[in-house]
């Protein structure tokens, strides 16, 4: 077992101190957006005792450290674990399939485009399915709504707009009634330019001036987003998507082609070990609309709530439909409560409350709030037992492959 030191990223949408407050760490950086725990070369964890980057450590003996199956299947630690804290919306985005990522990463490499180029779409050759476990109330956008639902809302807004401001709304309603409605509407909103910007301004003004419209939570969210990204086409994209409210302990799972955005909240995020993001609004970063449209699945889909498997009354396992990762959550309240950790290959564990004794076949050590450990495959099996007289919380991530 190796204690990890992990970096916090200071993206502008992060909170002042939610991550350091959660983990009882010094607030050395602000804003605090994401703490990365893993071996992604862009921001790898480091072994605390040896000050070695985790990706370099794994490269010394992948089969021993990752496990034979994981090493042969993925050739790397297959997941990236994050603590995410958002007070402003992240970009509207989607992620490629594995095949798309592999082919298009190779194509951009062959073109000579630098990995750190601002207009680069693919930073690596991996897909980026992900899951988000809410630590606080968490708000997100995910997946397209039914066209009829969107049309109904646009007609409600139309009733509060003057006749000379109805043109763009009618145009969007027409697209939603046509062939391939969501794809065509999504494309129009992202490419129409000034007409959409004006429509965003007009729609949000109408919502703010109407008590009836303002009471609609989806409309109210558009106004909130518009205050941060004025007249951005992403505001109208948000009307196309499901508005998802997660309570603490709930999770969502996001596959390739799913258009989504996290809006606010604190959570644990686990994903395939990639940084491939195709953006479609609410950002100052590069947007490649044709590429985004090509990887987007423009079909209605419900909010992708991920239900856990209950292992015990204080122990749950979240297994999305991606073999790269799973997340076990322990919430014991009584000292001495023990859990077998459901780990497959190399694992990362993070303590967010209390104190746990971690045992493997090679030894044991305690872990307290704010500490994280890397457990090699050679050390498994492992267990966690709550120590002391306060409740505990522990997260354990690993692959789903034995």
């Amino acid at each position: 077992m190796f204690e990890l030191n992990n970096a916090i990223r200071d993206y502008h949408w992060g909170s002042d101190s939610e991550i350091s407050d959660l983990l009882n760490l010094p607030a050395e950086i602000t804003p605090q957006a994401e703490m990365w725990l893993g071996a992604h070369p862009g921001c790898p964890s480091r072994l605390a005792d040896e000050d070695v980057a985790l990706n370099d450590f794994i490269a010394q003996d992948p089969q021993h450290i990752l496990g034979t199956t994981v090493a042969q299947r993925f050739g790397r630690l297959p997941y990236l674990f994050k603590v995410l804290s958002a007070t402003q919306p992240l970009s509207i985005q989607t992620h490629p399939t594995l095949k798309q990522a592999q082919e298009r990463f190779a194509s951009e490499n062959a073109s000579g485009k630098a990995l750190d180029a601002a207009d680069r779409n693919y930073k690596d050759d991996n897909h980026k399915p992900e899951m988000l476990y809410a630590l606080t109330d968490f708000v997100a956008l995910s997946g397209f709504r039914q066209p009829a639902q969107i049309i109904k809302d646009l007609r409600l807004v139309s009733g509060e707009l003057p006749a000379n401001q109805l043109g763009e709304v009618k145009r969007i309603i027409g697209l939603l009634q046509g062939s391939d409605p969501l794809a065509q509407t999504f494309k129009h909103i992202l490419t129409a330019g000034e007409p959409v910007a004006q429509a965003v301004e007009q729609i949000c003004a109408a919502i703010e001036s109407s008590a009836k419209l303002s009471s609609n939570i989806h409309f109210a969210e558009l106004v909130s987003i518009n205050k941060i990204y004025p007249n951005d086409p992403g505001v109208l994209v948000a009307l196309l998507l499901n508005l998802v409210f997660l309570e603490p302990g709930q999770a969502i799972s996001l596959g390739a082609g799913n258009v989504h955005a996290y809006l606010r909240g604190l959570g644990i995020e686990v994903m395939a070990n990639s940084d491939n993001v195709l953006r479609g609004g609410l950002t100052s970063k590069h947007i490649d609309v044709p590429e985004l449209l090509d990887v987007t699945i423009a079909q209605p889909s419900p909010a992708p709530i991920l239900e856990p498997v209950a292992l015990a009354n204080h122990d749950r396992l979240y297994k999305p439909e991606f073999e790269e990762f799973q997340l076990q959550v322990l919430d014991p309240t009584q000292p001495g409560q023990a859990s077998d950790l459901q780990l497959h290959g190399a694992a990362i564990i993070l303590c967010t409350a209390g104190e746990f004794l971690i045992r493997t076949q090679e030894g044991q050590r305690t872990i307290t709030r704010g500490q994280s450990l890397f457990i090699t495959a050679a050390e498994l099996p492992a267990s966690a037992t709550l120590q002391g007289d306060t409740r505990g919380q522990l997260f354990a991530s690993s692959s789903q492959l034995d």
Side-chain angles (χ1 to χ4, degrees), residues 80-402:
L80 178 60
F81 181 117
K82 296 180 181 180
V83 184
L84 181 148
S85 175
T87 59
Q88 295 183 16
L90 281 67
S91 60
I92 289 174
Q93 60 188 256
T94 191
H95 308 299
T97 65
L98 180 58
K99 184 173 185 291
Q100 289 168 337
Q102 290 172 337
E103 293 176 350
R104 298 173 193 192
F105 176 71
S107 177
E108 286 192 323
N109 283 349
S111 74
K113 186 171 291 185
L115 269 178
D116 59 355
D119 62 345
R120 177 110 189 190
N121 289 319
Y122 295 91
K123 304 299 179 65
D124 53 63
D125 63 352
N126 204 9
H127 61 165
K128 192 174 177 282
E130 59 193 46
M131 66 162 286
L132 185 288
Y133 174 95
L135 291 170
T136 64
D137 290 338
F138 200 96
V139 186
L141 300 164
S142 176
F144 287 106
R145 305 164 70 201
Q146 293 288 343
Q149 295 174 319
I150 306 165
I151 290 170
K152 180 180 178 182
D153 280 350
L154 287 170
R155 285 177 172 158
L156 285 174
V157 172
S158 296
E160 303 295 328
L161 290 172
N164 65 349
Q165 294 182 4
L166 291 175
E168 189 59 27
V169 172
K170 289 181 177 179
R171 188 171 295 110
I172 293 171
I173 289 174
L175 290 169
L176 288 166
Q177 293 172 326
S179 61
D180 203 3
L182 293 169
Q184 293 303 315
T185 304
F186 190 38
K187 178 180 180 180
H188 173 76
I189 290 174
L190 293 178
T191 58
E194 187 58 27
V196 165
Q198 291 180 358
V200 169
E201 181 178 17
Q202 294 160 356
I203 287 170
C204 289
I207 293 170
E208 286 193 280
S209 64
S210 167
K212 178 181 178 181
L213 295 183
S214 296
S215 65
N216 179 304
I217 56 173
H218 212 137
F219 291 159
E221 202 63 53
L222 301 189
V223 172
S224 296
I225 296 170
N226 191 56
K227 290 184 185 300
I228 300 168
Y229 291 97
N231 306 338
D232 191 286
V235 177
L236 270 188
V237 172
L239 188 61
L240 306 182
L241 305 177
N242 296 298
L243 184 59
V244 184
F245 294 90
L246 299 176
E247 297 178 356
Q250 288 188 302
I252 55 173
S253 174
L254 306 168
N258 175 293
V259 181
H260 62 277
Y262 297 145
L263 300 182
R264 57 187 175 277
L266 178 68
I268 300 294
E269 189 180 25
V270 192
M271 63 194 65
N273 192 6
S274 172
D275 199 26
N276 282 328
V277 178
L278 296 160
R279 298 175 177 86
L282 310 184
T283 182
S284 59
K285 293 184 178 179
H286 173 61
I287 295 177
D288 184 334
V289 173
E291 188 68 21
L292 173 69
L293 295 173
D294 190 52
V295 304
T296 293
I297 299 174
Q299 297 294 328
S301 60
I305 302 298
L306 178 62
E307 298 294 343
V309 178
L311 303 175
N313 60 3
H314 61 275
D315 190 357
R316 302 175 309 286
L317 181 64
Y318 293 82
K319 297 186 68 172
E321 296 180 358
F322 321 116
E323 61 187 8
E324 285 88 352
F325 59 90
Q326 62 182 35
L327 181 69
Q328 187 176 358
V329 183
L330 281 62
D331 287 303
T333 57
Q334 301 299 320
Q337 284 184 319
S339 296
D340 292 329
L341 296 178
Q342 306 297 308
L343 305 177
H344 306 275
I348 291 175
I349 63 175
L350 172 69
C351 180
T352 55
E355 179 180 338
F356 290 84
L357 178 66
I358 309 300
R359 290 190 177 94
T360 73
Q361 66 176 358
E362 293 193 0
Q364 64 183 41
R365 67 182 298 168
T366 58
I367 181 174
T368 61
R369 177 184 168 201
Q371 289 185 300
S372 56
L373 297 176
F374 179 74
I375 302 176
T376 68
E379 299 174 79
L380 300 179
S383 65
T385 304
L386 182 65
Q387 308 293 291
D389 56 3
T390 61
R391 63 170 291 275
Q393 187 174 59
L394 188 80
F395 295 90
S397 59
S398 74
S399 168
Q400 293 191 32
L401 296 182
D402 291 316

Side-chain angles (χ1 to χ4, degrees), residues 5-11 34-46 53-56 76-77 79-82 105 115-116 123-125 128 271-276:
N5 289 331
N6 312 292
I8 296 178
R9 314 301 294 267
D10 61 348
Y11 307 135
E34 295 177 344
M35 174 183 277
W36 287 27
L37 299 87
H40 191 284
C43 186
S45 300
R46 302 187 71 84
L54 184 55
N55 53 329
D56 292 335
R76 64 190 122 191
L77 188 69
Y79 57 88
L80 178 60
F81 181 117
K82 296 180 181 180
F105 176 71
L115 269 178
D116 59 355
K123 304 299 179 65
D124 53 63
D125 63 352
K128 192 174 177 282
M271 63 194 65
N273 192 6
S274 172
D275 199 26
N276 282 328

